[in-house]
Amino acid sequence: MSTYDNDEKNNTITTKELVDLSNCSECAMFIAQPGTQMEILYANQTFYDWIQYSEEEFAQECNSSIMALILSEDKQKVRNLIARQTAFGGKLQLELRVQKKDHSILWLSVTETPAKQNGRSVYYGSCLDVTQVKESLSEMSQAKRDVELIANNIPGGVMKLRMTDFKLLYANDGFYRLAGYSKEEYQVQFGGYCDQVLHPADKAMVQKQITTALENRGVIGFEYRIMAKSGEIRWSYVNGCRVDDDQGQPVYLCIIMDITKRKELERQSEENAKRAELIARFMRETTWTYDVSTGTLSRSGNLGETYSNEAVLEGQFQEDQLKAILHPDDVTPFLNELRQRSEQLGEHRAVYRIKDSFGEYRRMEVGTISVDTVGDGKPDKVFGVTRLLENNAVPMAQHEIAATAAGDIGARLWRKAKNGLTRAVDSLTGMVSYGKFLEQASDTLAARDENLHYAVLCADIDEFRKFNHHYGFSISNEILKRFSKVMRKYTENGGVCARVDGDYFVGMFTYEDHKSLLKMLSEMMRYQDELNMIEKQITFDTTNGLYLVQSEDEELGDMLEKADLARRSIKGIRGNHYAIYTEDLQEERFKEERIIQEIYEAMEGQTMEIGYLPRIQGDKENVVGCKAAAQIQLKDGQYLYSDAILHYIERGGRLEKFSFYLLNQVCCNIGAWKAKGNKVIPFSLEMTAMQLSAQNAVEIIDDIVVTQNKLDPTDLTFEVNERYFADMTSAMQINLEKLRAKGYQVVISRFGSHHTALHSLRTIPVTGIKFHGEYFTEDINRSKEKIILKHIVSMAKELDMTVCCGGICTKLQEQYAKEIGCDYLEGSYYYGAMRGSVFEKCFLE
């Protein structure tokens, strides 16, 4: 073939030069006969180099046919292409896979052009080696398939997004699955824009995030919600980077993760944490975790009532730190138990005395469980819960809570009528029974005369219990008969009266006008005084409450309740008195009941703050004792102090154990001071007649002071207001004698205020008297008063009694107290009441 000549053009290029030129070409060139065998008439050296055959070997082994080199699986396809393109005429364009001599595969891109040569038809052909291109395309295609496979199996979506209009340039199957649509449905419904499925509430947030990312040319990453096809709200997290297109438009390639389950778990976790927090606060519990290796204490729950509001504390369980919050007697047991829990797996529960937010020791149950979270069999964390216990020294039964019904006198009276009080006549007074009273009064009011006015009366005898204690039942029965005469005399005309039980009476009568009513009530009070004058043995006072029946009133129980409310509003005032119900009185009573309830809740919840008022002798710096006093912050933010609390204690039966509660808290603190090695100075607190008359009062006091807190009874002084001695019961006197026999001190406080002082000194086992500075004013600064008080003080000292004065607020009061001979002084003029921790630091350490 190399001898092929083209003599017609030998004037411009020789055959040799043409051959040399073709051999220098980077592509293969050949001349082939027409037909499907592609038989080669001539080929340049490049062609032979590609197929790794010499010209002779190609002619011998392949018969100079390219078809012999084509892979067998491609031959028929190539023949068909040649036949089809030949039939249409023109060029042939083929891509062939041929097998080289070394059996490797070569991709050729062949172009053949039909021509005439020396009167015969031939094809001039050229071919390029496109093996590398084919391999690259194959790799690209495979990579694309791999990317598609990976993208479609990501648990989320992949999208390419033009940010100017939220146009989807690409989205994988996961994107459409996330929204619940097929690709076709999404395109039809939303036109390929991704912002159409955003939750309406999140659109502004998403727009802001994207605007910020575009301004900063940064990445995006945020959480948002979409509305799925089913109507379900699904959470997504998108993270993307900027890959602008050829026109510079902002385009982001993003991965979207379905985080709906994670958000649901987070919601449940937050709900569980919130529920645990609220329950812990309600149950007054603190939950905590102690890391054994780092000594870190993490807390949650009811932190507001504990020694610290901090959730994380470092080194809290070290001995020096524990001494600041634990009762001294409880430090070692707690450390021993913590050490055991830190060394071996297990659980334990015990009660310790721990300081609260006021610095007062509270009894708290501490439960601990040590766990192994690493897996080495050794404890690395201690889980614990601290629960505030009720004051078990003074247990309060649930029925005491139900005693709020004490204010519901109407319901109480109706119950008595139903519980068998249906006798025709009261055997003692001769009055109709209470059941009969209800029947007659109801009938009278149902058929009431429009020209008359009606009133309902509730009355009782003041301090009736003392007559039973001091004089026996015969005298007390005589008093009941005497008062029944008064009731019958003023209710006989168109009315009715009855004794409910004990000394409690009810009545209903008519009157013409308000003036005549007041006149009748005045006569009633005078008549009672006249009876007392006739029967000079024993005198008594009564408290009377009235309700003036209105035309719209129908329920007798409600009327009796309002009359009793008026009676209770003046209860405790000496003499015969009456009160008429008004709306203001009702409001005032509601306020009183609310305050009593708040005091009770403070006792039950142990939220009362206790202050210690230093007592001095001579010089201000010489603090020789203290008085413990409570204060309570009401819900309206106001504080209720000791004197006011005592007032409500006397009026609310539910508070009868208040002083025992206060004693328990005070003794716990002072016992802790003593256990620390500090000096113990005498302390005092106020007690009411109700508490001192209680059954087992002495046993309760002795258990709190001596048994639980290991204190000396001689260090404790009970201050008893003088007014309690005026009507002292035998039970109270017996208890006072028992207390004195055990070594407790008893002083009469507010001495001289109720004209029973000398009698009290003569008959009652007291160890001291205590004046109050409020009586030492400029009006009393007269020589006569001073002489009397000086001699009383002198007499008390001769009886080996202590003399103290409290409530000193001014220089004048201090001067007067010292002039009459008071040895001990206390009041805001020297010091105010202070928290236990402050008192301990200032005066005991």
Side-chain angles (χ1 to χ4, degrees), residues 159 224 566 579 629 681-682 690 718:
M159 67 175 179
Y224 63 98
I681 61 178
M690 182 190 302
F718 292 110

Side-chain angles (χ1 to χ4, degrees), residues 238-251:
V238 61
N239 187 278
C241 60
R242 186 163 177 164
V243 286
D244 291 355
D245 60 13
D246 296 338
Q247 288 75 37
Q249 292 291 320
V251 174

